[in-house]
Structures are given as C-alpha cells and as structure tokens.
Amino acid sequence: MTAPAPELEGDFVLDEDLLLECGRTLVRPTLHYAVYGRLNAARDNGVLVCHALSGSALVGAWWPELFGGNSETRGIVDLRRDCVICVNLLGSCYGSTGPGSVDPATGEVYGAKFPLISIRDNVRAQAQLLESLGIATLSLAIGGSIGGMQALELAILFPERVKEVVVIGVAPLSAMGLALNHLQRRAIESDPDWRDGAYAPDRQPKKGLALARQVAMLSYKSASLFTERFARRPNRNREDPWADDGRGSGLTGAGRFDVAGFLDYQGERFLDRFDANAYLAIVRTMDTWDPLRGYERAEDAYGRIRARLTFVGISSDWLFPPGDVRRLAESVRECGVQADYREMVTDHGHDAFLAEQTELVRLLHLPI
Amino acid sequence: MTAPAPELEGDFVLDEDLLLECGRTLVRPTLHYAVYGRLNAARDNGVLVCHALSGSALVGAWWPELFGGNSETRGIVDLRRDCVICVNLLGSCYGSTGPGSVDPATGEVYGAKFPLISIRDNVRAQAQLLESLGIATLSLAIGGSIGGMQALELAILFPERVKEVVVIGVAPLSAMGLALNHLQRRAIESDPDWRDGAYAPDRQPKKGLALARQVAMLSYKSASLFTERFARRPNRNREDPWADDGRGSGLTGAGRFDVAGFLDYQGERFLDRFDANAYLAIVRTMDTWDPLRGYERAEDAYGRIRARLTFVGISSDWLFPPGDVRRLAESVRECGVQADYREMVTDHGHDAFLAEQTELVRLLHLPI
C-alpha cells in the first residue's frame, strides 16, 4: 500500500512556558505535528498516535497499516471517518523543541543543558495542542513502546479527553531495560566526539551513536529471530569470520558473521537520521517513566481513567516482557478500569508492532 | 572456605612452533599454568580445569568450591586424590602468550597482529603440556563457558586422553551471542585510545573496555536477577534518577538507577585486571568455535569421543541458552557417546557456574 500523506504538517508553539516535572521550565516549546484526514464538525473524530524513540510525527510513513487501505486489511483508523494527529516528542530531532533547539533564555543551543523531559511533560504539552485544535475528546489514543507510555498517561492525566486507549509493548522499564538504556547512554558519552553534548550538529559522535543503535537493535529483536535470519552464517558479502591472512588484525578479524554485518549496517544507517543528544534525551524520558510516580496508591492514578483500555504484549519482547505488560493491564483492571490484554505471538521481538503491522491490526480487530 | 593454593605455578614453552587452524604460526608459545595437588606414581590422577574468558590459571581462586573443603560440601576434586591442572588461554593477559607478548619473529609486541587462536589451537597446546607432565590420560576435564568448549574439544581431538568430561553452560554461540560479542568488539574498537590495537600497555582504551565488560555483564546475568537485585531503585549511593537541577546535563542525568551504578562499577573494576587486546583475542576464539567445523558429519567428530560426558545447562542463561546445551548433548549422544544432560535451575544467568558453585557441585554429585 502507499503511505497516506498528511493533510497538514506544522508547528504549534505553546502559549506559555512549560513547567516540567523536574522543576525546570521549557520556554514556550514548539510541538511539530502532522494531521491526516479532517476533523468533523463535532470535532469528536480525533485519533492521537504517539510515536516511539526514533519516530516522527509522520505516522503515515512508519505505521501505514494502521490506516489499512488495501482490500485485505481493514485499518485501525479510516481517514474517511477519523482525523489522525501525531506529535513529535519533545527532545526529538524531528521538529519539536529538543537539545538541538535554541534556548530562548540564553540564545544558545540547549545541547546537554536540555532539561529532563518526562512522559507527562509531553502529554501535557500535547493536550494544549489538542485544545488549540478544538478537540475536547479523542476517540482513540494509541502507541507502542514510548508511544504506549504517552497513551496511558493521557488516560490518567486527562480522563475526559480520550474514549479508548491502546498501549502496545510497554510497561515501566525493568532493571534489564534500564541496563540496556544505560549501555546506550554510555556508548554515546564515551565517544570523545560527543564533547559533553557540545558537538556541532554536523560533527555527531558517530561511533557512539551507531553503537547505541546497535545495542538498541539487539533489544528490539529476539534471539530466535536472529537465529532464523542469521544463525552462525558468515556475512552475506562473503566475508570469512575464520580468516586471518596475517595482513589485517587477528583480533578484530577480517570477516564478520552475518549478524555482525546486520548490526553494523543498522548502526551506520541510523547516523543519517538521528541526533545523539536527542537520543540521550528520549532515553531518559523512557527510563524515568512510572505511571504511579507521585501517587500514593495505584487507585489514585489508574482509578482516574475513564477510557476503555487495550494492552498488547509481544510474546518474544525482552525489552518490555509480555508478563510486565500483562501485569500492568491487571493493575489497571484492579482499579475498576476496563482493560483488555492481548498478546502478539511472534518471534520478532519488541518492534514487532512496527515490523508486523498487519498482525497487530488483526489482533486489535478481534472482539473482546 | 579458604581458596586452595597451587603446588606450582609456572610457564611451559612449547618445543616447537604452533601451527594454528587459521594457517598462521605462533612461534614457540608459552602456556602459563598452575598445578594443585600432586600427580600419583601412575600419573593417572590428573584433572584439567579449563577457564572462561577473563579467568586465569589460578582456578583455586575463582572456583574454590570445586575443591570442596568444608564439611557440608564434597568437592568435585579432592587434592588428597586428584592433581588439578589449569592452563591460561592463549591470547590472555595472565601469563600465556597473548597480544601483549613479544613476537619472536619481529621482536615487537604482537598487538593487533596477534593471530586468530581457535579453541582447538588451545587444546593442542595444552595436550603438549600434559605430555610434558607425563599425563597420558586425565581422569577428568571440566570447564564452563569457553572452558567447556575446551573440555569438549579435548574429548574429540584426543579421545584417549580423558576419561570423563563436564561441559557447563556452553554450545556454539548463537546469533544473539555473536551479536553480543560483536558489540563488545565494537565498543573497544570505537575507543580512539585503542589505536588499532597499538596502545601502550599502560594506556588502555579504558572507556571501550569498560563498556565491553558492561555488555558482557548483562549477558552473564538474567533479567529476573536484575529485577530482584535492582528493580527500578535509584543507585544505592542516593543518586536521584529523576533529578535535574539545571546545573548538570539534563540528557545524561545527575542520578543513575541502581542497575546503572552496578554496571558502571563492574566496568571500572575490570580495568584493573584485563587488557583490551587480550579481550578481543578471546572473544574471537569464542565466536569461531564450532566443534563440527571441518568435519563432514557429526559422527565424524562426536563419534571419536571415548570419555563419559556430562553437559550442564543453566536455566536462566540467555548467552548460551539451556536448550542449545541440551541439543548439543543430544547430538553427541546420537553419535553413540555416553552423554548426560543436567540443568542448574537458577535465576542467576550464565555465570551461575561461578556465582553458585555449591549448587553446581551438588548437581554434579547427583547420580545419573
């Protein structure tokens, strides 16, 4: 299918400064967003799609199956009926205010001084954008990974503003997830080209950012997918992992295994499309998310929810294990909220929600 | 218990050059080794213990429970009966010839020109040492991880030289394992202080080596162990992962989670005891091991074995998943070899064979 094109792609500048959960202030931040389809007269057909770490507002490009569009699969949204809004995360490098933006207070690029932005900060800013669009209540908010964090927080913070929420492949990061993110952070910081965050935009800490992406790719896939795709085969360009002709390095090898070639390629490719400080910013947004933080009891948070929730676990996900997603769904349900749990059965790992979109859409269409 | 002290720690220099599997030659390499207990008159009480990636010949220090020694646990070896030999891996930085050694052919330190050493190369060199000690047949060869690779290869290459073999937590690395090793290799290579392997010994690529160790630690432990030990708690020194006072970096955070503090500590600590090029060398030894490489059929390799084998899988191991170890045991058994499979049931992950030695020893004492 062809990816749907946005009706509108634009910037929304907040009327006022955003007081952040960490106590700092973001001076009149910009939200870059895209709109697909049109709002109806009642403005009650809005669907908010929330993106993950390296995503952008252009959801049509990265989640096309959500829109269906071919005869076999009915999408989750239908642009003849729905109006889809997707907002770039604060901290990102795809248009919203991030570490690469100029701090109006100093006239300088934020760099490493960009503040800690929480999921709630994002959701509060997005609520102001929705207000400006005249959307009182969304028919649906949906997201995977960090996108799911935002969708759930929206249901908690603004219970009247969303009727249905789909949370995919996410729960508060476990210790293993925090560990994986920490290695990615260290990979970037360890690159001298990072310069404590003060690198010029065209002088990215490339090796560190590529290595961070490689660690991330590992966590997005599964051991069984890797075995199926790569096994112990030599790299497909005919390198020989057993070779040592004495001319090169016996330590690092003239030849890679196929999985190593794949990881190197993924790391390299990422450099064309992401910024190191933005990466660090969003990893911290992800690390610090806990929907119960600041509440005394689970009921105080989850009990606020008015939307109908669907949680989707991914069977082979080891970054956000399905058991964690199921437990999150159960905690929410125990607070009297309608919360369904479904599981994508797949070998793919965490990013199955992007890699196997048709299966995800089918799963969401199953009756409760 | 106190760690047993070696009767002897010394160097064995091979009589001749070692022709390596890769086709290159190692000029009269040195094997550093330790001996615990004494050989009997028949010289048939020798036990070979093979060490893992960062181990040394001093097995008494890192695997003390193997020797038993307290009233509750009977060890696997008894120094009143057995004579234990442990040989440092070629490529290591603990006494055997490695990248930090001088290449007699050039008079210069090998550095990155150190050749690719296979598990078989190690086993062939060790066999020469055993010969020099007058040991025709070992009563036992035992090892975990890379140590298990050596023990199994010994049984294949020199069937008459070992009666019993214990192979713990190992199988040929899966694609996920190769991926994890590749990230460690890239972490070291990406550090400019690595200087293509030509760093001075006291100018290690510290950040890269520390990061490699952190990736490795992740693979040695399990998600459930991390959850149990660290959960989402802040670092125990009272850092606050949610803090951003505006003075430091909002991107990397003033405060770490506990698991991040643990990983940083492990990375740092490793710098005192390991060398980056040695690390790279042994990772490649590990990557390239395949007991069937060069044989046409499994029977051609495993059918050679005369020893009685015991394989031990570790239930929570995701570097060498227990299913892989079990399948390896089954392949060997299908070739008519006596091969038992046992499983350590533990949350610890791969290095349970070091961290939970008493449980391992108990498991090995269970009757078949």
Side-chain angles (χ1 to χ4, degrees), chain B residues 228-239:
Chain B
E228 185 188 310
R229 278 203 192 161
F230 309 114
R232 289 183 49 80
R233 283 189 294 277
N235 196 12
R236 49 198 67 188
N237 64 358
R238 298 183 171 212
E239 291 173 26

Side-chain angles (χ1 to χ4, degrees), chain A residues 343-361:
Chain A
E343 202 161 296
M344 279 187 84
V345 179
T346 169
D347 263 359
H348 195 95
H350 178 62
D351 73 2
F353 73 97
L354 297 174
E356 298 179 344
Q357 303 186 11
T358 310
E359 285 67 24
L360 173 66
V361 167

Side-chain angles (χ1 to χ4, degrees), chain A residues 149 170-182 286-289 317-325 327, chain B residues 218 222-228 230-233 257-260 263:
Chain A
M149 295 178 178
V170 80
L173 267 181
S174 67
M176 180 59 88
L178 292 170
L180 285 159
N181 275 358
H182 185 65
M286 182 181 178
D287 273 359
T288 50
W289 182 65
D317 191 343
W318 63 284
L319 181 57
F320 293 103
D324 290 1
V325 183
R327 269 186 296 280
Chain B
L218 205 111
S222 76
S224 55
L225 182 80
F226 275 6
T227 293
E228 185 188 310
F230 309 114
R232 289 183 49 80
R233 283 189 294 277
F257 285 94
D258 206 26
V259 69
L263 289 172

Side-chain angles (χ1 to χ4, degrees), chain A residues 235-252:
Chain A
N235 195 13
R236 50 197 66 186
N237 65 359
R238 300 180 168 214
E239 293 173 25
D240 178 2
W242 292 273
D244 181 357
D245 59 9
R247 285 177 303 181
S249 162
L251 301 180
T252 57

Side-chain angles (χ1 to χ4, degrees), chain A residues 60-190:
Chain A
W62 52 264
W63 222 0
E65 292 297 335
L66 199 74
F67 297 81
N70 62 47
S71 54
E72 286 153 58
T73 334
R74 187 162 50 95
I76 297 302
V77 297
D78 180 340
L79 292 184
R80 289 166 299 188
R81 179 192 64 203
D82 303 306
C83 175
V84 172
I85 300 118
C86 184
V87 189
N88 186 221
L89 280 167
L90 291 168
S92 178
C93 52
Y94 286 126
S96 290
T97 297
S101 307
V102 171
D103 179 356
T106 63
E108 285 170 19
V109 168
Y110 282 107
K113 289 183 179 155
F114 191 73
L116 163 58
I117 307 281
S118 71
I119 292 289
R120 287 174 189 163
D121 296 330
N122 272 290
V123 171
R124 289 194 181 106
Q126 289 168 22
Q128 294 192 36
L129 165 61
L130 295 176
E131 211 153 301
S132 81
L133 297 172
I135 302 173
T137 306
L138 295 160
S139 63
L140 171 67
I142 181 171
S145 202
I146 301 178
M149 295 178 178
Q150 296 161 71
L152 181 57
E153 273 293 354
L154 179 74
I156 298 169
L157 291 181
F158 302 103
E160 307 300 339
R161 301 190 78 145
V162 59
K163 286 186 183 152
E164 193 167 342
V165 171
V166 179
V167 176
I168 304 159
V170 80
L173 267 181
S174 67
M176 180 59 88
L178 292 170
L180 285 159
N181 275 358
H182 185 65
L183 298 187
Q184 293 167 56
R185 185 181 295 116
R186 283 285 178 259
I188 293 173
E189 291 175 350
S190 297

